[in-house]
Amino acid sequence: MSGAALPGDPPGGRRAVAVWSTGVAVYFVAVIFRTSLGVAGLDAADRFDVGASALSTFSILQLLVYAGMQIPVGLLVDRLGTKKVLGMGVVLFTAGQLGFAFSPTYGMALASRALLGCGDAMTFISVLRLGSRWFPARRGPLIAQLAGLVGMAGNLVSTLVLARLLHGIGWTAAFAGSALAGVVVLVLLLLFLKDHPEGHEPEPVPHQGAAYVRRQIAASWREPGTRLGLWVHFTTQFPAMVFLLLWGLPFLVEAQGLSRAAAGELLTLVVLSNMAVGLVYGQIIARHHGARLPLALGTVAATSLLWAATLGYPGEHAPMWLLIVLCTVLGACGPASMIGFDFARPANPAERQGTASGITNMGGFVASMTTLFAIGALLDATDDDYTVAFSSVFVLQALGVTQILRLRRRAARRERERLVASRVETVHVPA
């Protein structure tokens, strides 16, 4: 199916780019704050006098809050609009980052990261909604991939800039100083962000309490495209997320015998690959809508193949060339997960876009949390056997692929029906 223009499409243009860029700037800062702990793990262990298990709780709690907030945030975006929800998100994640800077105890630091995760959860769905309100539908895949690319750029800022600040000016100054970025984007948001262009106001949706919430969730879930989007996100995102967030560095250093510097370079390669592949995937899907599922399943197959080759390598350590290829392929996981939104978006009307995106976005984070726990438990049970622990990746991939194959035909049929119906309505609208 081509990415043809749909009835009532917003026009796009420079004004759309300016407004969308303001929302993306908020997401950019949120990702810097989200990933800031990744460069401060050893410092956090020393500051709060905690071991590896307590340290990993920071990441797991943040993901738990993020995933748990997705459907509530989607409902809020549908009800209140993008500007209000993004504004609340900025206030929360900035307060969380500032609290983390001054936390004297592990418990307060943990609460600060939970607050940060809550605010962070409000950003990406809002940015997706902003893109769908300001740009034509055919631009949706590219706009979503560009948003993801900006997020990975935030990850690079944490790795390259915040890490140096941390070791140069100290914990409190680095984290408190970075929190100023939240204040800057809040001002930009209040001054320049607008929910939709003139003449494209959504139909008002009367709120009826719990009944409204149930209807939104149930109607979104009934659409096969929403469920397919969730399972695509579930199956594609988590291998890279788990690798970058927690277990990549230990695997490369302890299981593969690399130095911390070499392992850090490979983690950076994952981020750079993500950014490059995101641009390619966005352009392909914008031009060839039918490429969505082949790209998603192809990414899963390539990831599985490279993990199997790395874990099953007969030598003591996998060769560097194989690890480089593995990390390059892992970089495709993030862009592939964005394809999930390209299934959910056309399956739902404008008034349910936030809810549908929230359901979809839960997929990868639930898979990531499950895998984080599974790898940790298997490492403890097998005396740090990384081959057994990382084999849990294949179990979740098999589950996800099974669900994708089960839903793909129903989702495609329903999407065709919606497109035909929208065109018929346009034909019958009087001039």
Side-chain angles (χ1 to χ4, degrees):
M1 186 185 303
S2 67
L6 296 176
D9 261 357
R14 292 182 179 178
R15 171 67 171 155
V17 171
V19 173
W20 178 78
S21 297
T22 302
V24 170
V26 174
Y27 177 56
F28 174 75
V29 173
V31 174
I32 295 175
F33 291 2
R34 178 199 305 172
T35 56
S36 58
L37 184 63
V39 299
L42 295 177
D43 301 83
D46 291 338
R47 180 178 176 86
F48 302 116
D49 192 24
V50 295
S53 297
L55 191 61
S56 67
T57 303
F58 279 124
S59 298
I60 293 171
L61 175 64
Q62 201 168 318
L63 280 184
L64 182 64
V65 171
Y66 189 102
M69 285 290 294
Q70 290 311 293
I71 291 179
V73 168
L75 290 164
L76 281 174
V77 171
D78 287 337
R79 180 61 189 163
L80 301 179
T82 301
K83 185 169 186 174
K84 291 180 181 178
V85 176
L86 267 182
M88 289 189 290
V90 174
V91 171
L92 289 173
F93 69 60
T94 302
Q97 186 80 340
L98 198 60
F100 198 57
F102 293 100
S103 293
T105 65
Y106 173 73
M108 289 184 66
L110 205 59
S112 296
R113 295 306 286 187
L115 189 63
L116 191 156
C118 185
D120 180 20
M122 297 181 174
T123 58
F124 188 63
I125 292 176
S126 297
V127 169
L128 288 179
R129 169 66 171 259
L130 197 65
S132 69
R133 288 295 191 195
W134 280 90
F135 292 95
R138 67 182 183 277
R139 299 292 184 194
L142 181 59
I143 293 300
Q145 291 288 355
L146 286 174
L149 186 150
V150 171
M152 294 310 292
N155 198 329
L156 277 181
V157 170
S158 286
T159 303
L160 301 177
V161 178
L162 189 59
R164 293 184 180 180
L165 286 175
L166 188 65
H167 298 125
I169 62 178
W171 177 282
T172 301
F175 279 100
S178 67
L180 292 175
V183 178
V184 172
V185 293
L186 179 60
V187 172
L188 292 175
L189 181 152
L190 294 175
L191 290 177
F192 301 114
L193 196 135
K194 189 177 179 183
D195 283 343
H196 47 74
E198 295 292 338
H200 291 269
E201 294 83 357
E203 290 292 330
V205 179
H207 188 274
Q208 298 177 5
Y212 165 81
V213 171
R214 287 195 298 269
R215 279 201 311 273
Q216 286 287 91
I217 295 174
S220 296
W221 183 255
R222 278 197 300 269
E223 292 291 346
T226 305
R227 284 174 279 144
L228 179 60
L230 179 146
W231 285 108
V232 167
H233 200 269
F234 177 100
T235 313
T236 53
Q237 188 202 46
F238 78 94
M241 175 72 75
V242 168
F243 197 79
L244 286 172
L245 200 60
L246 189 59
W247 293 117
L249 189 69
F251 170 76
L252 294 171
V253 173
E254 296 179 3
Q256 299 302 320
L258 299 183
S259 67
R260 285 180 175 266
E265 290 173 357
L266 286 177
L267 294 179
T268 302
L269 175 61
V270 177
V271 177
L272 293 174
S273 173
N274 183 299
M275 297 172 71
V277 173
L279 286 174
V280 175
Y281 277 18
Q283 292 283 359
I284 291 174
I285 296 170
R287 288 172 169 78
H288 307 285
H289 224 45
R292 291 173 298 173
L293 203 57
L295 284 176
L297 292 175
T299 301
V300 174
T303 305
S304 300
L305 179 64
L306 267 298
W307 264 121
T310 302
L311 297 176
Y313 192 79
E316 183 180 359
H317 302 305
M320 178 58 78
W321 68 264
L322 182 56
L323 295 176
I324 290 174
V325 176
L326 170 67
C327 290
T328 302
V329 170
L330 284 176
C333 291
S337 72
M338 300 296 296
I339 296 172
F341 299 103
D342 294 323
F343 286 109
R345 189 184 305 112
N348 291 272
E351 63 270 16
R352 288 206 309 265
Q353 288 294 318
T355 306
S357 295
I359 292 172
T360 300
N361 208 27
M362 282 183 63
F365 291 94
V366 169
S368 296
M369 283 189 298
T370 303
T371 310
L372 282 169
F373 280 116
I375 291 175
L378 288 170
L379 286 174
D380 288 339
T382 60
D383 195 22
D384 291 341
D385 188 330
Y386 279 89
T387 299
V388 173
F390 271 90
S391 294
S392 59
V393 169
F394 303 125
V395 177
L396 271 73
Q397 285 183 322
L399 171 62
V401 169
T402 300
Q403 296 299 318
I404 290 171
L405 296 178
R406 183 178 69 86
L407 290 164
R408 73 189 191 283
R409 287 193 178 91
R410 275 183 281 173
R413 183 170 61 250
R414 178 67 174 143
E415 189 173 312
R416 285 195 299 269
E417 291 171 354
R418 289 187 66 88
L419 183 59
V420 170
S422 65
R423 287 174 174 168
V424 170
E425 288 175 7
T426 304
V427 170
H428 288 88
V429 170

